[in-house]
Amino acid sequence: MKSGLTIEALAAEILRQKEVKEDYIVDTPALVMEPSGNDVVLRVLDENKDDRIEPLDVGEIAHRQIGTHLSIPAKYYAKMLTEKTDLLCANVNSWMGTNPAKRMLRVLEGKARAFLSNRYLRLDHYEIVSAILPILGEMPDAQFESCQITEGRLYIKVVNPRLQAEVTPGDIVQSGLIISNSEVGLGSATVQPLVYRLVCSNGMIVNDAATKRNHIGRVNNSDENFLLYSEKTLQADDHAFLLKIQDTVRAAVDEAQFARVVGMMQEASTAQMNTADVPGLVKLASREFGITESEEPGVLQHLIEDGNLTLYGLSNAVTRFSQDVENYDRATDLEGIGYNILTMPTNTWNRLNRAAA
């Protein structure tokens, strides 16, 4: 499992961001993108064409969301941003005015970090953490193995060492869970089980057992608000979801769920790999499960170093490689891919083995 922040450092950063972030409901014709050096800024204008707030830098996520909203192809948008900022601004400004809409602009420290629907439900990191930390504090010996807050997401990965099992002799795994959330439209607020392998500190996210809440709420109109205050009143269904998250966190010690996953690991440890072309099989599995060409050599290296040429060994090679990846978001994706590989249908595993023969 990739290392990250301590829970104390994470909590401090969430509190800091809570105090400085701002959200606005804007009409797209009032938005103007302008070149600024080698980059661009986004201006929010009033009816007199004066700035309502200071011009904003634009983050990578917001750029992608602006392009998607305006139906500008991503590669073309990126090319204009890199090579022709004046052309990008002309395109964006034209389409912003041609197709007027109300959007939510999420701002952090002078940067537009998200450009979202005005129905986006602001269920933020602070609300999630405030709901789950007291429950985690009730769990004896709970260990915060890895926490992080990236530009796109929050992650808290917790292990319960009191619930453990042996997959093969000496190979001990423990029960845990991952809490994740995005404030910028990259995914639901989610609680998922995970399994922590002691021998190499691998984390494997159980993708088929999640509690989720999509960020979709009532319409916010710019006629009602420009600046949206963080001291909002959560709707009844939001409160219900936070209670459900608390129940899911408590259920992280669920022995039946943990036993189910351990059973699949034990079964996978007997599913032998066709060793006629191990690199070829890794390549085929990578294509099947979304591992990039640049990541394949690292997965293959860990597979060979571990010497476990089984389905279980392949899934562990992927989760072990996740620790080598610089990007925390991608490392977490790989922890889920490891589980997808572990639980692939038998006919898929047989097909990959035949193809690599």
Side-chain angles (χ1 to χ4, degrees):
M1 191 180 296
K2 190 170 182 64
S3 62
L5 301 174
T6 65
I7 187 63
E8 293 82 8
L10 179 77
E13 178 60 14
I14 289 172
L15 285 171
R16 188 193 71 81
Q17 290 190 12
K18 178 178 182 290
E19 297 304 317
V20 297
K21 64 188 178 185
E22 296 172 320
D23 298 316
Y24 302 94
I25 295 297
V26 297
D27 291 304
T28 55
L31 295 174
V32 175
M33 185 176 283
E34 293 182 350
S36 177
N38 295 323
D39 209 332
V40 298
V41 294
L42 192 64
R43 298 176 62 196
V44 183
L45 305 181
D46 62 18
E47 60 275 7
N48 297 318
K49 304 302 180 183
D50 294 324
D51 290 302
R52 299 189 73 172
I53 57 176
E54 289 294 316
L56 301 167
D57 295 329
V58 184
E60 180 182 348
I61 293 169
H63 271 305
R64 292 202 305 266
Q65 292 166 338
I66 290 169
T68 298
H69 175 70
L70 299 178
S71 299
I72 301 174
K75 288 186 177 180
Y76 182 50
Y77 190 107
K79 185 176 178 64
M80 290 190 290
L81 180 60
T82 303
E83 301 177 15
K84 293 279 187 179
T85 54
D86 55 341
L87 181 60
L88 173 63
C89 293
N91 272 271
V92 167
N93 294 336
S94 176
W95 291 114
M96 285 287 195
T98 301
N99 298 306
K102 297 183 188 298
R103 303 291 290 178
M104 181 183 294
L105 196 61
R106 307 212 77 180
V107 176
L108 179 65
E109 297 176 317
K111 178 185 286 187
R113 59 182 182 138
F115 181 78
L116 300 163
S117 164
N118 64 332
R119 291 193 61 193
Y120 184 81
L121 173 68
R122 298 181 303 160
L123 189 60
D124 285 349
H125 303 335
Y126 180 80
E127 283 81 25
I128 299 295
V129 171
S130 296
I132 62 101
L133 282 186
I135 308 305
L136 292 173
E138 297 171 3
M139 293 173 56
D141 304 324
Q143 298 175 358
F144 293 91
E145 290 295 337
S146 184
C147 303
Q148 191 58 272
I149 181 168
T150 69
E151 187 174 348
R153 291 182 174 88
L154 160 77
Y155 302 95
I156 301 176
K157 300 174 184 178
V158 188
V159 171
N160 170 30
R162 292 195 171 196
L163 184 55
Q164 64 179 36
E166 207 171 42
V167 178
T168 59
D171 188 356
I172 297 172
V173 294
Q174 296 176 336
S175 175
L177 74 158
I178 172 174
I179 299 103
S180 60
N181 185 48
S182 176
E183 294 185 339
V184 293
L186 298 188
S188 307
T190 306
V191 180
Q192 295 170 276
L194 65 80
V195 176
Y196 183 66
R197 188 175 181 228
L198 298 187
V199 68
C200 52
S201 301
N202 285 1
M204 183 177 290
I205 297 171
V206 181
N207 290 322
D208 55 5
T211 296
K212 297 182 178 182
R213 175 67 164 97
N214 293 326
H215 290 265
I216 299 175
R218 69 179 183 87
V219 173
N220 287 288
N221 290 309
S222 57
D223 295 338
E224 301 172 356
N225 301 295
F226 172 56
L227 174 63
L228 297 175
Y229 293 99
S230 59
E231 292 79 8
K232 64 185 185 303
T233 301
L234 289 174
Q235 302 297 309
D237 55 345
D238 305 331
H239 282 295
F241 172 70
L242 293 177
L243 292 174
K244 189 176 182 181
I245 275 190
Q246 292 176 331
D247 289 340
T248 304
V249 170
R250 289 188 181 98
V253 295
D254 181 70
E255 295 187 19
Q257 169 72 19
F258 180 60
R260 179 184 72 87
V261 178
V262 171
M264 291 189 295
M265 289 179 161
Q266 291 169 337
E267 183 178 349
S269 71
T270 65
Q272 295 297 318
M273 180 182 297
N274 186 334
T275 58
D277 184 6
V278 173
L281 193 146
V282 170
K283 181 177 290 291
L284 290 169
S286 296
R287 291 175 181 173
E288 186 87 15
F289 292 95
I291 297 169
T292 68
E293 188 173 345
S294 64
E295 292 168 342
E296 287 174 20
V299 173
L300 177 61
Q301 178 183 345
H302 286 298
L303 176 64
I304 293 172
E305 287 177 352
D306 190 49
N308 186 347
L309 300 182
T310 65
L311 176 56
Y312 180 59
L314 179 59
S315 66
N316 282 326
V318 173
T319 55
R320 173 60 188 86
F321 172 70
S322 72
Q323 299 179 46
D324 303 336
V325 176
E326 182 176 350
N327 182 280
Y328 195 97
D329 294 308
R330 181 56 181 168
T332 303
D333 290 341
L334 288 165
E335 291 171 354
I337 289 172
Y339 180 79
N340 293 341
I341 289 175
L342 178 83
T343 57
M344 77 170 75
T346 301
N347 60 348
T348 302
W349 177 241
N350 292 338
R351 172 171 57 81
L352 294 178
N353 272 291
R354 287 194 303 270

